[in-house]
Amino acid sequence: MVVNIDRLFSKRATRFRSSEIRELLKLTQIPGMISFAGGLPNPLAFPVDIIHECIEKIFKENIEQALQYGTTEGLTSLRGVLAERMKKNPHHHINCELHDILITSGAQQALSLAAICFLDPGDTYLTSVPAYLGAVQAFHALEANCESIPMNDEGIDTDSLRRNIGRLNRTGIIPKFIYTVPTFQNPSGETMSLSHRKELLDIASEYDFLIIEDDPYSELIFEGDAIPPIKSFDTKGRVIYISTFSKILAPGLRLGWVVASKEILDKFIQAKQASDLCTNGFSQYIAYEYINGGYLDKHVEQIKKLYKRKRDLMLKSLKEYFPSGVKWTMPKGGMFIWITLPKSIDTRLMFQKALAKKVAYVVGEAFFPEGGNYNSMRLNFSYSEDGLIKEGIKRLAEVIKDELATAYQQDTFPPDGV
Amino acid sequence: MVVNIDRLFSKRATRFRSSEIRELLKLTQIPGMISFAGGLPNPLAFPVDIIHECIEKIFKENIEQALQYGTTEGLTSLRGVLAERMKKNPHHHINCELHDILITSGAQQALSLAAICFLDPGDTYLTSVPAYLGAVQAFHALEANCESIPMNDEGIDTDSLRRNIGRLNRTGIIPKFIYTVPTFQNPSGETMSLSHRKELLDIASEYDFLIIEDDPYSELIFEGDAIPPIKSFDTKGRVIYISTFSKILAPGLRLGWVVASKEILDKFIQAKQASDLCTNGFSQYIAYEYINGGYLDKHVEQIKKLYKRKRDLMLKSLKEYFPSGVKWTMPKGGMFIWITLPKSIDTRLMFQKALAKKVAYVVGEAFFPEGGNYNSMRLNFSYSEDGLIKEGIKRLAEVIKDELATAYQQDTFPPDGV
């Protein structure tokens, strides 16, 4: 008998949709393509020799433990050095101990655990938009409803946030949490101001929802002072802080971590146990040796130098080649620049033309769970070779100019054909 | 304001319960404890030098790719050699190509993906009992109902299976799948006969549910002929085959894989993307080099020799020390022996007495999602040192004898105190 698979899939599985990031990452493989689409770290940023050294040390000292099953919470020694570092590091200033930390299989798993532990079907969560796709996908997988809060120059529009919560409350809906990337946000590159961080925590406290603070990029700061994470002001366990080794060590090692209250961490640990039992032990030992050997702080300086140069190159090329009427963010760190084109351009329709000229971006709409913002795009500056950044922006500028010219003709052509 | 966390947790999270395996693994750490509780491979079974060689090769040839994000499906080269091996290997005989395979973060993730993709709250699944705890936990996390099917000498009681399905059908319930470990089962050590494998597939086809075939142990065969997996008879995509590198390479690398139909795999891939984006690239390259270099087949022979010796030692010690009236399985492979004690003994109550004598087991009840079977226990023979196996069984025999003596006194004591 043929399998009647549609009867067998869960309701949530029937709602799954393919991710645009996934399809876009495939494009980075086409020969000759200059891709600003993927959110990949540059391989030059991987501390290959240091990792090699760390591995030799593991083979001498801890290889059996590194290859065995470990506890779900994660390697005690790694959690210990992470706690120490977070207390001291100006990008963290989070006062925590090792038992406040859970090691996860990448930050994505932390987002997935949050979805599992907080979202029943039909529950509502808030996110600033544009929003990181992977988070939206994790929350969508658990059949939650998304309420989008626009961003402004200070990182989040708190007036709009209050209005939205008020409107939801009047219909009996209390959101479970707000998701935000306050520093060098993916995709916008923008950073939330200190006052807005504090105000966001106040609002969350007033209406009693949680804050999921996703912080993959704060260490990649090129200029200005570090702004402490929201978690550093949190005395009540209202903030779930998530970070990752993907941008300061290597994403292939799949290591992230969570700092949260004991009550929340206990549930996350139980959910993680059902999800994958424990995190890769070998990777955890590498990360431990990387921090404990004093390599991390030095190597992050190298990554910052590399990415700052690439950001400068991209900003310079944007200024040189992009036509007037196009706006972009000026990120002080991270990996992304957000482009806003004149309203006449639809980046979804322009995408195939860009591909034809062998340059790729992510259409802005992908970062808006409720759609819209068709005239925007995300550019990644960390991955491409220096020479290709200039060439890629030049190509993209030509595509945009062509598109503007066509749009202009269409707009000005007399409507009745005269 | 204090966080009202109970309002915020999802319904499923409020149902989470701590796993007994988790608590038991902690016991293996107490000094002097002889633990037959954990399901750990022996560290002597880890091919440390081979892994070291494989890693050196990766550093020479593929280190940038190994450290970068990869596709959610998994490393193409690894999937390729896995498909080739499964076609040839007598423990598999599964006719599949690389696009039929998804690499997962351990077999546990595959179980979790099955739960996400098939189980809505209140859905029913079937499992043979005793059942692997990790699977039950993954299915329980998604609020599913479990229907237990007893095992018999042939591995599963198919008469009972038909009766149970019939009873469910009459109340309008059609189970989504049956979960089974047909070969050297965890916890019983038993193996399903060829005829029962075929009959199970017939029943699944007749009533149109899926089979989740979990196969972590079939390569660890000590004697007799390999029985092909149910997946090898499956021409309709009714069987989801799951296996792991945890027992043939190392669990710390967190690598498993799934063979399933394209429709099912597509959903699993989308669910995995939301769960952890992709599997550890470094581990995947190690596994690829391990298979491609021809190391795996040779090394499995070593593991089998090691574990067979330990099984023989445990069986011999059981025969030597355990009192009459105690029964045990005679597994032809794998890592576990199942013990059935006289009904007067409750292994839950006996557990603390065993700990006091510094010997640990898993209480049998833990493997019965609906409870019961209080007079049984699981013993692991793969982990402990040879000398400790004999000593541990001796200690356990003393605990059992004490318990029998006490039970005998209680039973024979005149009920009205005369």
Side-chain angles (χ1 to χ4, degrees):
Chain A
M1 189 174 142
V2 170
V3 181
N4 181 5
I5 197 70
D6 291 332
R7 176 187 78 77
L8 295 166
F9 282 132
S10 62
K11 286 194 192 77
R12 74 182 74 84
T14 60
R15 278 166 43 110
F16 288 168
R17 52 185 176 194
S18 239
S19 146
E20 271 140 293
I21 272 194
R22 190 176 146 71
E23 299 308 313
L24 288 165
L25 279 176
K26 287 182 186 164
L27 299 174
T28 64
Q29 324 273 334
I30 298 173
M33 180 68 65
I34 301 176
S35 177
F36 303 131
L40 302 181
N42 197 296
L44 294 176
F46 301 156
V48 173
D49 292 337
I50 298 170
I51 293 173
H52 207 155
E53 266 182 61
C54 293
I55 287 175
E56 289 308 313
K57 196 152 186 278
I58 295 165
F59 270 95
K60 280 193 197 112
E61 296 173 8
N62 298 103
I63 189 63
E64 282 185 7
Q65 295 93 313
L67 294 176
Q68 189 57 279
Y69 287 109
T71 61
T72 307
E73 293 88 333
L75 189 64
T76 306
S77 57
L78 173 60
R79 291 156 69 216
V81 293
L82 264 177
E84 279 312 304
R85 190 165 186 277
M86 278 192 283
K87 273 188 251 187
K88 288 181 213 155
N89 192 302
H91 308 294
H92 295 125
H93 270 319
I94 295 172
N95 193 16
C96 64
E97 305 300 330
L98 74 88
H99 56 256
D100 302 315
I101 299 172
L102 166 67
I103 308 291
T104 55
S105 303
Q108 183 67 32
Q109 183 177 53
L111 296 170
S112 168
L113 296 178
I116 291 168
C117 291
F118 295 116
L119 298 175
D120 283 312
D123 274 357
T124 296
Y125 72 94
L126 310 165
T127 179
S128 55
V129 287
Y132 169 58
L133 272 176
V136 171
Q137 206 184 355
F139 305 148
H140 180 88
L142 274 293
E143 301 171 86
N145 297 326
C146 173
E147 194 73 31
S148 303
I149 311 296
M151 294 178 73
N152 62 17
D153 287 349
E154 296 222 61
I156 195 161
D157 185 337
T158 47
D159 290 339
S160 168
L161 175 61
R162 283 184 186 279
R163 270 198 311 277
N164 272 280
I165 297 169
R167 181 177 49 77
L168 288 171
N169 282 1
R170 282 191 295 278
T171 60
I173 295 166
I174 308 171
K176 291 289 186 84
F177 58 77
I178 186 164
Y179 170 77
T180 182
V181 182
T183 307
F184 315 138
Q185 199 234 8
N186 176 0
S188 73
E190 305 262 43
T191 293
M192 195 186 296
S193 69
L194 182 64
S195 62
H196 268 56
R197 289 175 196 226
K198 289 183 174 170
E199 192 180 348
L200 182 57
L201 184 56
D202 287 343
I203 296 172
S205 184
E206 186 180 335
Y207 293 97
D208 199 20
F209 57 82
L210 300 171
I211 297 174
I212 297 182
E213 179 175 34
D214 191 2
D215 186 31
Y217 308 108
S218 65
E219 301 233 21
L220 307 178
I221 182 171
F222 310 148
E223 60 213 16
D225 291 328
I227 303 177
I230 307 169
K231 183 67 184 167
S232 67
F233 316 121
D234 174 30
T235 55
K236 307 279 187 193
R238 189 168 296 283
V239 180
I240 298 167
Y241 177 86
I242 298 173
S243 194
T244 176
F245 282 96
S246 291
K247 279 82 192 181
I248 53 174
L249 177 56
L253 299 179
R254 310 306 302 123
L255 282 182
W257 75 92
V258 180
V259 185
S261 72
K262 186 185 174 338
E263 280 168 306
I264 291 173
L265 230 46
D266 280 350
K267 292 291 181 194
F268 273 38
I269 289 165
Q270 288 177 311
K272 177 170 168 65
Q273 207 182 6
S275 296
D276 68 356
L277 286 181
C278 62
T279 302
N280 190 302
F282 201 78
S283 287
Q284 290 187 80
Y285 270 97
I286 293 173
Y288 166 71
E289 297 293 350
Y290 183 56
I291 298 178
N292 197 50
Y295 300 113
L296 169 56
D297 289 319
K298 282 178 213 156
H299 186 70
V300 164
E301 293 304 315
Q302 309 270 343
I303 302 177
K304 281 156 64 174
K305 239 181 249 172
L306 177 71
Y307 287 2
K308 179 182 188 301
R309 191 179 75 214
K310 289 183 184 293
R311 180 209 58 174
D312 290 346
L313 248 170
M314 189 171 273
L315 286 177
K316 192 174 162 232
S317 305
L318 287 170
K319 208 174 165 189
E320 188 172 347
Y321 297 110
F322 266 32
S324 64
V326 181
K327 288 177 193 164
W328 52 86
T329 56
M330 310 278 269
K332 292 180 176 172
M335 291 168 37
F336 303 103
I337 295 175
W338 183 255
I339 309 282
T340 307
L341 301 166
K343 290 246 174 193
S344 60
I345 291 188
D346 187 327
T347 56
R348 296 170 305 172
L349 305 176
M350 194 177 77
F351 189 67
Q352 289 303 327
K353 295 171 198 167
L355 287 193
K357 295 228 178 192
K358 297 263 172 124
V359 60
Y361 56 82
V362 184
V363 298
E365 190 217 3
F367 304 98
F368 290 84
E370 301 173 71
N373 275 265
Y374 304 126
N375 59 324
S376 57
M377 59 169 82
R378 184 190 79 175
L379 300 184
N380 164 275
F381 58 78
S382 62
Y383 185 72
S384 300
E385 286 173 34
D386 291 5
L388 296 182
I389 290 179
K390 189 176 173 180
E391 173 61 23
I393 294 298
K394 203 171 152 188
R395 288 183 194 174
L396 196 50
E398 284 164 24
V399 177
I400 293 169
K401 282 177 197 162
D402 281 358
E403 201 70 357
L404 279 174
T406 318
Y408 181 75
Q409 282 179 344
Q410 287 173 343
D411 280 356
T412 54
F413 202 78
D416 51 357
V418 182
Chain B
M1 191 175 144
V2 170
V3 181
N4 181 4
I5 196 70
D6 291 331
R7 177 187 78 78
L8 295 165
F9 283 132
S10 62
K11 284 193 194 76
R12 74 182 76 82
T14 59
R15 279 167 40 110
F16 288 168
R17 53 184 176 195
S18 238
S19 146
E20 270 140 298
I21 272 193
R22 189 176 147 71
E23 298 308 313
L24 287 166
L25 279 175
K26 288 181 185 163
L27 298 175
T28 64
Q29 323 273 336
I30 299 173
M33 180 69 65
I34 300 177
S35 177
F36 303 132
L40 302 181
N42 197 298
L44 294 174
F46 301 156
V48 174
D49 293 337
I50 298 171
I51 293 173
H52 208 158
E53 267 182 60
C54 294
I55 287 175
E56 288 307 312
K57 197 152 186 276
I58 295 166
F59 270 96
K60 281 193 195 108
E61 296 174 7
N62 298 103
I63 189 63
E64 282 185 7
Q65 296 92 314
L67 294 176
Q68 189 56 279
Y69 286 109
T71 61
T72 307
E73 293 88 332
L75 189 64
T76 305
S77 56
L78 174 60
R79 292 155 70 216
V81 292
L82 263 178
E84 279 312 303
R85 190 165 187 277
M86 277 193 282
K87 273 188 250 188
K88 287 181 212 155
N89 191 303
H91 307 294
H92 296 125
H93 271 318
I94 295 172
N95 193 16
C96 65
E97 305 300 330
L98 74 86
H99 56 255
D100 302 314
I101 299 172
L102 165 67
I103 308 292
T104 54
S105 303
Q108 182 68 33
Q109 183 178 52
L111 297 169
S112 168
L113 297 178
I116 291 168
C117 291
F118 296 117
L119 298 175
D120 284 311
D123 274 357
T124 296
Y125 72 94
L126 310 166
T127 180
S128 55
V129 288
Y132 169 58
L133 271 177
V136 170
Q137 206 184 356
F139 306 148
H140 180 87
L142 274 292
E143 301 170 85
N145 296 325
C146 173
E147 193 73 31
S148 303
I149 311 296
M151 295 179 73
N152 63 16
D153 287 349
E154 296 222 60
I156 195 162
D157 185 338
T158 49
D159 291 339
S160 168
L161 175 61
R162 283 184 187 279
R163 271 199 310 276
N164 272 280
I165 297 168
R167 179 177 51 76
L168 288 170
N169 283 0
R170 282 192 296 279
T171 59
I173 296 167
I174 308 171
K176 290 288 185 87
F177 58 77
I178 186 165
Y179 170 77
T180 181
V181 182
T183 306
F184 315 138
Q185 200 235 8
N186 176 0
S188 74
E190 305 261 42
T191 294
M192 195 186 295
S193 69
L194 182 64
S195 62
H196 268 56
R197 289 176 194 226
K198 289 182 174 168
E199 192 180 347
L200 182 57
L201 184 57
D202 288 343
I203 297 172
S205 184
E206 186 181 335
Y207 292 97
D208 198 21
F209 57 82
L210 300 171
I211 296 174
I212 297 183
E213 180 177 33
D214 191 3
D215 187 31
Y217 308 108
S218 66
E219 300 233 22
L220 307 178
I221 182 172
F222 310 147
E223 59 214 16
D225 292 328
I227 302 177
I230 307 170
K231 182 68 185 167
S232 67
F233 317 121
D234 174 30
T235 55
K236 308 278 187 194
R238 189 168 295 284
V239 180
I240 298 167
Y241 178 86
I242 297 173
S243 194
T244 176
F245 282 96
S246 292
K247 278 82 193 182
I248 54 174
L249 178 54
L253 300 178
R254 308 307 302 123
L255 283 182
W257 74 92
V258 180
V259 185
S261 72
K262 186 184 175 335
E263 280 169 306
I264 292 173
L265 230 46
D266 280 349
K267 291 291 181 194
F268 273 38
I269 289 166
Q270 289 177 310
K272 177 172 167 65
Q273 208 182 4
S275 296
D276 68 356
L277 286 181
C278 62
T279 302
N280 190 302
F282 201 78
S283 287
Q284 291 188 79
Y285 270 97
I286 293 173
Y288 166 70
E289 297 292 350
Y290 183 56
I291 298 179
N292 197 50
Y295 300 113
L296 169 56
D297 289 319
K298 281 179 214 157
H299 186 71
V300 164
E301 293 306 314
Q302 310 270 345
I303 302 176
K304 281 156 63 173
K305 238 182 250 174
L306 177 72
Y307 288 2
K308 179 180 187 304
R309 191 180 76 214
K310 289 182 183 293
R311 179 208 58 174
D312 290 346
L313 248 170
M314 189 171 275
L315 287 176
K316 193 174 161 234
S317 305
L318 288 170
K319 209 173 163 189
E320 190 172 343
Y321 297 110
F322 266 32
S324 65
V326 180
K327 289 178 193 164
W328 52 87
T329 57
M330 309 278 268
K332 291 179 175 173
M335 292 168 36
F336 303 103
I337 294 175
W338 185 254
I339 308 282
T340 308
L341 300 166
K343 291 247 175 192
S344 60
I345 291 187
D346 187 327
T347 55
R348 298 172 303 174
L349 304 176
M350 195 177 74
F351 189 66
Q352 290 302 327
K353 296 171 197 167
L355 286 192
K357 294 226 178 194
K358 296 265 171 123
V359 60
Y361 56 83
V362 184
V363 298
E365 190 219 1
F367 304 98
F368 290 84
E370 301 173 72
N373 275 265
Y374 304 125
N375 59 325
S376 57
M377 60 168 84
R378 184 190 79 175
L379 299 184
N380 164 275
F381 57 78
S382 62
Y383 184 73
S384 299
E385 287 172 34
D386 292 5
L388 296 183
I389 291 178
K390 189 176 172 180
E391 173 60 23
I393 294 297
K394 204 171 150 187
R395 289 183 193 173
L396 196 51
E398 283 164 24
V399 177
I400 293 169
K401 282 176 195 162
D402 280 359
E403 200 71 357
L404 280 173
T406 317
Y408 181 74
Q409 284 180 342
Q410 286 173 342
D411 281 355
T412 53
F413 202 79
D416 51 357
V418 181

